[in-house]
Amino acid sequence: MAKPAGSAIEPTIAERSSARDVARLAGVSTATVSRALNLPASVDPDTLSRVKAAIEKLRYVPHGAARALRSRKSDMFGAVVPSFDYALYARTTSALQREADARGYALVLAAHHYDLAIELRVTQQMVQHGVDAFVFVGLDHDPALFSLLDSYGRPYVLTWGVDASGIHPSIGFDNRAATYAMTRHLLDLGHRHFGLISAPTTGNDRSRERGAGVRAALAAAGLSLVDDDVRYGPIALESGTRAMRELLAKRDRPTAVLATNDVFAVGAMLACRDAGVRVPDDVSITGVDDTDLGATQTPGLTSIRTPIVEIGRAAALQLAARLEGRPVNLLQELPFELVRRASTAPPASRRRRR
Amino acid sequence: MAKPAGSAIEPTIAERSSARDVARLAGVSTATVSRALNLPASVDPDTLSRVKAAIEKLRYVPHGAARALRSRKSDMFGAVVPSFDYALYARTTSALQREADARGYALVLAAHHYDLAIELRVTQQMVQHGVDAFVFVGLDHDPALFSLLDSYGRPYVLTWGVDASGIHPSIGFDNRAATYAMTRHLLDLGHRHFGLISAPTTGNDRSRERGAGVRAALAAAGLSLVDDDVRYGPIALESGTRAMRELLAKRDRPTAVLATNDVFAVGAMLACRDAGVRVPDDVSITGVDDTDLGATQTPGLTSIRTPIVEIGRAAALQLAARLEGRPVNLLQELPFELVRRASTAPPASRRRRR
DNA sequence: GGATCATATGTAATCGAATACATCGCCGGC
DNA sequence: GCCGGCGATGTATTCGATTACATATGATCC
C-alpha cells in the first residue's frame, strides 16, 4: 500500500480520476457531475445518488486548480504573520485555521519576520497561488500591499489593532488603552519611576501604541519616561533579560518596568532572579498578552489578557462572510482585561512609609 | 488607494492582467512570456528585458491555478499537525515555512486535534487544493491516508519519529531512547518510585514510545510502573496540574514524576506550588521538549532538548529535493539531549541517608 | 389541445498558462 | 552553394472543472 521509500526520488504525480471518468461511470455528462457537487438541489435525486456512488467508487477528488481557474476562487485564506515563534500568533492562527476549516476554507501561511518588504513579497506569492482573502497582523503595511490587494480585488482584514481612520477592515483591541491601564495600575500602587521594554516600533503599530499608552498615562500623572529607561529589542527572552540587566545596573533604577509583551517581561524576571533582585519587592514587572509563560512564573506575571483567540476566530468569520456576500462588521474592537498577579506591588519606598 | 470599507460586501475579484497583456505590450507571444518566466536562459536577453519591463509595468502576477492546471504542480507544501496551541508544533512549522519559502514553496496548514479521521479529511482537502507534498506529525495514521497519498502520487514525510520499518520516509528522533535516558537520570539520582503523566496513546506513537522508554528503563533496573501512578490527559497545563494533584494525594506518592512533555511538567509544578510540595526536595519533575515554558520556571525544568527546529527544516529540504528529483535521505534520525536543571535531585530518603 | 413554463440534462465555450510542435533565420561544414 | 543543426520565437493544443446556453420532457393553464 505505502510506496517503498526509494521510489520517492521519482516525483510521479500519479493518475487521478477526473469528472469525465465519474460522468462516464454514472452515465451522465460532466456538467451534471459538477452540478451534483455544487448545486445538488438542481439534480434529480436518482441521478444524484448514481453520481455520488461513482465518485465514491473512483475515489474522485475534484481538481482544485481547474476549479479555481474557471470559477475564480480557490477557497483559500492567507495568513501573513510577523513570526510564529512567539506563541501568540500561533494561537491566533490556530483559531483562524480552525474556524476557516469549519467553513471549508484552507489556510495558507507565511511569516515576514517584521520586514514589511518580505510581507509584500509573500503576499504577492499568495495572490499568485490564488489565495482568495487575507489576514494581516497590525496596521502598519507597505502602501503597495494595499494597492496589490486592491487591484486584484482580494478582501483582507488587519488584526491586533483597530484602524481609527476606518479605511481598512480591522479586528483588534486598543493597544494604547491596554498599556495606559497597566501604567495606571502601577501609578495607583505608588510607582513614580518607570522603565519600558519594547519591541522596535518601525513598522509595528502595536508596540508603538503600547509605548504611547504608557507615555500618555504618565503624562496624565505629570510624569514622563526618560529615554534611557526605555530599551528596545527583538521579541525574545534574551532581549528582556539584557534590557533588565541594563536597567538594574543604573544608579537610579526604575521601581516598575513595563514590557510590551510577556516574553520581554519573563526575560526581565530572569534577569532579576540572576541578579538577586526580588520581584515585586524590589521591582514590579508587567507584561502584555497574558500567556502561560508569564502566568506560570513565580511570582505570576501581571499582564493584560488580549483577545488572542477571538481575533483569529473573528477574522475567519469576517472573511468568509465577505467572500460569500454576507454583510459584516468590518471594524471590530474587542475587549482586553488587566490581570493582576504577584509581579506588581507598591514600591519599597512607599511600603516603608506606611 | 485602499478600498472604502463598505465596498467589501461585493466580493469583486477585479481585473488582473494576463500573460496575453504582457505579450501584447512586449510585442511577443504568450509562449515567450511563459519562457521568460520559467526558462529565462532560452530567451534572447533583449527580448527578456522587454518582457520583464512589461511585467513590471502591468504588475503582472501569473495565475497560479492556470499554471497548476497545466503543469500539474502548485509549489505548495501541506503541513498537517495535531495542534497549534502547543508551542512546539508552531515552532517546527515556523522552521518548515521559513525553509519552504526560501525555496519558493508556500505552506498550507491544517490541524486535526489528535483525530486521525479529521487528519484524513483535511489531507484530502489539501490534495484537492493541489498541494504537492505533505508533512505529517508522528507515525500513527489511518492506512487510508497513505493510500490516498499514494494514489495521487504525493510525496510525504512523517516527523517527530523514525519509522523503524523503513516503509515511510521520516524525520525525527528516538522518543523511547529519550525518556529511557531521562528515567536513567532519575534512577541514578536514587529514585525508585515513579509517576508518569502522559498524553493519550491512541493514535499517538510519540506518547506511546515515551511511555515505553520509561518502562524499559525501569524494567532494566528491576522496577516497574504501577498503573495507578500513570495519568493521562490532553496536552494542557491543567492536565498536568490535575494529574499531579492526584499523585500527591496518594498515601504512597512517587518521589519522581516524569511527564511526556514540558506542558504537563509545568502543570505538575504548579500543583506542587499550590500544595506546598517542594520541587525538587520533595519530588523531582521532568519534561520533554525543553521549551522556554519549562526552562524559565523556578526551579528550572529538567527536560530533553528535542530537535524541534531541525525537524521542520529537514522536512522542507527533503520534500523540496524529492519534488525536484534530487536524491535525499528518506530516513533521518536526529539527536536529542538531556538538559539537567534544578527540578531533579536525589529523593529525600536518599539525602537523609547520606 | 396548444402555448407556457419548470425541471433536468447535455453541449460546448471558457478560464490562463505551459508546452509540443512548427517555423524561420542564420551559421558552419564540406 | 547546399544542407544539417541550433537558437529564438510563434501557433495551437492542452490541463479539468464551471457555466451559459440549448434542448428535451412533462406538467399546467386557459
Side-chain angles (χ1 to χ4, degrees), chain A:
Chain A
M1 178 180 343
K3 90 179 77 162
S7 82
I9 302 295
E10 296 288 310
T12 39
I13 303 287
E15 285 312 305
R16 56 191 296 170
S17 35
S18 73
R20 247 230 316 280
D21 302 325
V22 175
R24 195 148 31 204
L25 182 61
V28 297
S29 71
T30 60
T32 301
V33 173
S34 171
R35 277 188 286 256
L37 249 35
N38 302 312
L39 287 94
S42 76
V43 175
D44 186 89
D46 226 46
T47 317
L48 186 60
S49 65
R50 257 173 33 244
V51 172
K52 291 234 155 144
I55 287 175
E56 197 71 18
K57 183 145 177 220
L58 297 176
R59 306 162 110 267
Y60 166 67
V61 177
H63 194 297
R67 174 169 199 274
L69 177 58
R70 180 64 229 241
S71 66
R72 336 204 103 247
K73 56 182 195 161
S74 66
D75 292 347
M76 294 193 293
F77 286 169
V80 183
V81 304
S83 159
F84 238 63
D85 295 325
Y86 186 14
L88 200 61
Y89 297 124
R91 286 181 56 209
T92 300
T93 308
S94 172
L96 175 63
Q97 189 274 328
R98 200 167 191 149
E99 213 62 41
D101 180 55
R103 283 164 181 67
Y105 294 93
L107 186 71
V108 183
L109 182 72
H112 58 65
H113 310 286
Y114 296 94
D115 181 330
L116 297 189
I118 296 182
E119 179 175 57
L120 178 60
R121 199 202 79 218
V122 300
T123 303
Q124 164 150 344
Q125 281 175 356
M126 283 187 172
V127 168
Q128 170 164 354
H129 275 103
V131 167
D132 287 335
F134 289 84
V135 180
F136 297 98
V137 171
L139 308 177
D140 282 0
H141 300 283
D142 188 326
L145 183 79
F146 296 117
S147 77
L148 171 73
L149 295 167
D150 210 39
S151 72
Y152 280 85
R154 296 292 193 276
Y156 63 87
V157 59
L158 310 185
T159 58
W160 286 93
V162 180
D163 181 24
S165 70
I167 293 176
H168 304 293
S170 49
I171 297 174
F173 62 97
D174 188 335
N175 285 281
R176 187 186 299 226
T179 45
Y180 190 105
M182 183 59 91
T183 308
R184 198 56 252 166
H185 162 61
L186 291 167
L187 285 166
D188 290 345
L189 286 174
H191 291 275
R192 289 298 175 268
H193 185 181
F194 294 81
L196 174 64
I197 307 179
S198 169
T201 54
T202 49
N204 186 335
D205 54 286
R206 283 94 61 214
S207 86
R208 206 167 46 240
E209 286 294 301
R210 291 179 188 184
V214 174
R215 290 190 171 83
L218 292 183
L223 297 172
S224 71
L225 205 51
V226 182
D227 275 355
D228 194 49
D229 287 337
V230 183
R231 304 283 154 161
Y232 297 92
I235 301 185
L237 282 177
E238 301 76 52
S239 297
T241 306
R242 179 174 325 113
M244 193 68 191
R245 221 171 4 230
E246 292 169 5
L247 292 177
L248 289 177
K250 295 182 58 162
R251 260 183 317 109
D252 186 25
R253 53 162 84 148
T255 62
V257 173
L258 296 125
T260 56
N261 60 62
D262 273 19
V263 175
F264 285 156
V266 171
M269 290 177 77
L270 294 182
C272 292
R273 216 174 280 164
D274 281 353
V277 172
R278 292 163 309 163
V279 178
D281 311 41
D282 301 327
V283 62
S284 286
I285 294 181
T286 69
V288 176
D289 290 333
D290 193 31
T291 61
D292 284 344
L293 181 67
T296 60
Q297 296 299 312
T298 33
L301 180 66
T302 293
S303 191
I304 302 273
R305 190 191 102 64
T306 53
I308 301 178
V309 170
E310 291 82 351
I311 287 174
R313 195 148 42 198
L317 292 181
Q318 174 174 135
L319 291 183
R322 288 167 63 185
L323 286 176
E324 291 156 21
R326 281 180 280 118
V328 269
N329 238 342
L330 296 177
L331 257 51
Q332 280 173 265
E333 178 162 345
L334 302 170
F336 59 83
E337 187 189 350
L338 199 158
V339 181
R340 280 186 69 164
R341 293 211 184 79
S343 72
T344 48
S349 58
R350 175 94 160 218
R351 283 200 303 278
R352 267 199 303 277
R353 226 180 293 149
R354 274 182 184 170

Side-chain angles (χ1 to χ4, degrees), chain B residues 246-269:
Chain B
E246 292 169 5
L247 292 177
L248 289 177
K250 296 182 56 161
R251 260 183 317 108
D252 185 26
R253 54 161 85 146
T255 63
V257 173
L258 295 125
T260 57
N261 60 61
D262 273 19
V263 174
F264 285 155
V266 170
M269 290 177 75

